[in-house]
Amino acid sequence: MSTHRFRRPVAGVGLAVSLAAVLSLVALTGCTGGEAAVGDTGSDAEASVIVPGRPGEEARTVSPREAREAAGEGTGPNAADHAFMTMMIEHHEQAVEMTELADAYAEDSAVRGIAGRIAAAQEPEIEAMRAWLLRNAEGGEATGDGHGHGGHDGHGDTMPGMASEEELARLRAARGAEFDALFLDLMIAHHEGAVAMAADVSAQGNDVTALEMAAEIGASQRVEISRMEAMR
């Protein structure tokens, strides 16, 4: 404009597939701990990961760092990881643009407050995703710097939840209570789109860091959706 703001087990390909399924579940179900900081995807403060056990063994809970260490070989970024990171930068940038309008034109302090929290979470995520793209530039098609807004880089039509130019123009022109209502409508749809994108990469991606960030984005934005729906 942070599911804060998306792990694989130690043994074999079969368990790696199981963990990918768990990641998808994490993205879809969110987290019970409320809002977590998402800018630092390498932190042990993130949501824990449930790793399925071998046949006859119980599942265990590990930190994201332990999950990365357990991942071993075969977890390099694929096209889905690169697409997610590239498009989510643009998706986040539009959200941040909308929060800047809320700071100027919103009437309800609660709307300004949620807008501020969205910006505070998503701006560091944008930088983390840009850094990921630089680190992994050799392995994927998507190496852009992510400076576009509202589909200017050509991805807007393919990303769920993105506001159209007409909708953004209406938001820029609105004031007071009218602005508040339109902002909530657009931002809820925007967040729902991000949750869908996070779920997609959880099912198709391969890179532990990308999956970890996707899980955090899905979880945190579900929390924010609930809060914004309560403001309507």
Side-chain angles (χ1 to χ4, degrees), residues 5-43:
R5 337 194 118 122
F6 292 74
R7 318 179 194 356
R8 299 172 205 263
V10 180
V13 175
L15 287 179
V17 172
S18 298
L19 184 52
V22 171
L23 285 163
S24 180
L25 179 60
V26 170
L28 292 172
T29 58
C31 66
T32 57
E35 294 184 67
V38 296
D40 178 9
T41 58
S43 168

Side-chain angles (χ1 to χ4, degrees), residues 20 22 33 37 57 59 63 71 77 79 84-85 129 135 139 146-147 152 171 178 196-197 205 221 226:
V22 171
E57 294 181 356
S63 70
F84 171 78
M85 291 294 201
M129 289 185 284
R135 289 195 307 272
H147 289 293
H152 294 174
L171 188 65
E178 179 186 359
M197 291 168 66
Q221 296 206 13
S226 295

Side-chain angles (χ1 to χ4, degrees), residues 60-81:
R60 60 194 178 93
T61 300
V62 300
S63 70
R65 178 176 296 173
E66 289 170 328
R68 286 195 299 272
E69 291 172 351
E73 299 297 327
T75 58
N78 63 14
D81 298 318

Side-chain angles (χ1 to χ4, degrees), residues 1 89-97 130 146-149:
M1 344 180 208
I89 288 172
E90 188 176 343
H91 205 272
H92 272 21
E93 284 186 325
Q94 188 183 78
V96 171
E97 181 180 4
R130 285 178 180 159
H147 289 293
H149 285 279

Side-chain angles (χ1 to χ4, degrees), residues 38-129:
V38 296
D40 178 9
T41 58
S43 168
D44 285 332
E46 299 162 10
S48 58
V49 182
I50 299 174
V51 180
R54 296 180 179 85
E57 294 181 356
E58 293 183 358
R60 60 194 178 93
T61 300
V62 300
S63 70
R65 178 176 296 173
E66 289 170 328
R68 286 195 299 272
E69 291 172 351
E73 299 297 327
T75 58
N78 63 14
D81 298 318
H82 280 272
F84 171 78
M85 291 294 201
T86 301
M87 292 193 292
M88 191 57 77
I89 288 172
E90 188 176 343
H91 205 272
H92 272 21
E93 284 186 325
Q94 188 183 78
V96 171
E97 181 180 4
M98 292 165 66
T99 66
E100 291 169 351
L101 294 173
D103 185 55
Y105 303 130
E107 178 177 86
D108 191 336
S109 61
V111 172
R112 291 195 301 272
I114 191 72
R117 284 192 290 274
I118 290 168
Q122 295 197 16
E123 286 173 341
E125 286 179 347
I126 289 170
E127 295 309 313
M129 289 185 284

